Amino acid sequence: MRLLLMRHGATEGNVQRRYVGRRTNEPLSDQGRAQCALAGEFPEVEKVYTSPLLRARQTAELCFPGAELVEVPGLEEFDFGAFEGRSARDMEEDEAYRAWVDGWCKGRCPGGEDRAEFVERTATALAGLLTDAAAREERCVVVVAHGGTVMAALHAFADGSALSDDYFGWGVGCCEGYECTVSWADGQLRLLDPQPFPRRT
């Protein structure tokens, strides 16, 4: 089975460098729609699994016209709690924010998630999705979600890559992501040979 993990196009919050997470359900910006157009259309794709958040669904509609959209709870972006909707500049003097950043963003955001919880949530949702898709003999699975979702999924499941344990190394731009092969060797889910998407020539 092949898997395409794709981040949504930009929102106004992304452009303004605010923390746009699980609690923010804003639409694509004009820039985000332009990014979708640049990524291209893939009308041959019949089904796309998306985060329930609007920006992911809109990206799927633009890049995969005519595809059936299936929302998957659990694939939403990281829950930034009290940091949601604010920028790093807004929080320069916020001691809780500085402590979170100084801890490599692993700890719990006040009122939100910590990284381990987020990775577990994402991994559980993606594993269930892929297991069900395999039972239906789907040969290619497309997921449109969020930058954090892509990082968490590959951090949890990427195999055979020097980046496997590097959470932020899996970061992608808007309307970008990774293609990989799904394996269940020895009963364990692995994502093999992740390659950047879209492939630029």
Side-chain angles (χ1 to χ4, degrees):
M1 176 190 293
R2 294 291 292 171
L3 170 66
L4 168 60
L5 280 169
M6 182 178 177
R7 182 185 178 187
H8 61 80
T11 68
E12 286 300 328
N14 295 144
V15 174
Q16 296 167 10
R17 303 185 68 81
R18 292 187 277 110
Y19 284 94
V20 179
R22 189 178 192 178
R23 301 174 183 217
T24 303
N25 199 23
E26 60 187 15
L28 294 178
S29 64
D30 289 343
Q31 179 178 331
R33 290 180 176 277
Q35 290 166 337
C36 290
L38 184 62
E41 292 186 0
F42 303 86
E44 70 277 8
V45 174
E46 297 180 354
K47 181 185 294 185
V48 178
Y49 298 92
T50 77
S51 156
L53 297 178
L54 179 60
R55 54 195 183 270
R57 297 199 310 273
Q58 289 181 329
T59 299
E61 289 170 351
L62 291 170
C63 291
F64 305 94
E68 175 190 0
L69 302 187
V70 180
E71 292 185 9
V72 181
L75 293 182
E76 301 93 336
E77 180 62 280
F78 188 89
D79 187 341
F80 293 105
F83 305 149
E84 187 87 17
R86 303 164 71 190
S87 70
R89 177 171 292 185
D90 294 335
M91 296 184 283
E92 286 178 339
E93 306 302 322
D94 187 320
E95 292 184 7
Y97 175 71
R98 293 307 323 164
W100 181 65
V101 171
D102 290 345
W104 295 97
C105 307
K106 290 183 178 180
R108 181 180 306 283
C109 296
E113 292 177 295
D114 64 31
R115 186 188 298 174
E117 288 173 331
F118 174 56
V119 171
E120 181 178 0
R121 166 167 68 81
T122 300
T124 298
L126 183 62
L129 180 167
L130 292 173
T131 299
D132 291 345
R136 292 189 293 270
E137 299 185 346
E138 296 180 24
R139 300 184 64 181
C140 181
V141 171
V142 176
V143 175
V144 178
H146 308 273
T149 309
V150 173
M151 291 191 292
L154 289 164
H155 179 72
F157 296 125
D159 195 38
S161 168
L163 283 174
S164 295
D165 295 324
D166 183 358
Y167 179 84
F168 289 111
W170 294 112
V172 293
C174 292
C175 284
E176 296 180 351
Y178 289 94
E179 294 180 89
C180 44
T181 299
V182 180
S183 169
W184 278 276
D186 301 321
Q188 292 188 316
L189 174 61
R190 291 288 182 265
L191 303 180
L192 308 179
D193 191 29
Q195 298 295 319
F197 168 88
R199 296 185 180 182
R200 304 299 186 190
T201 55

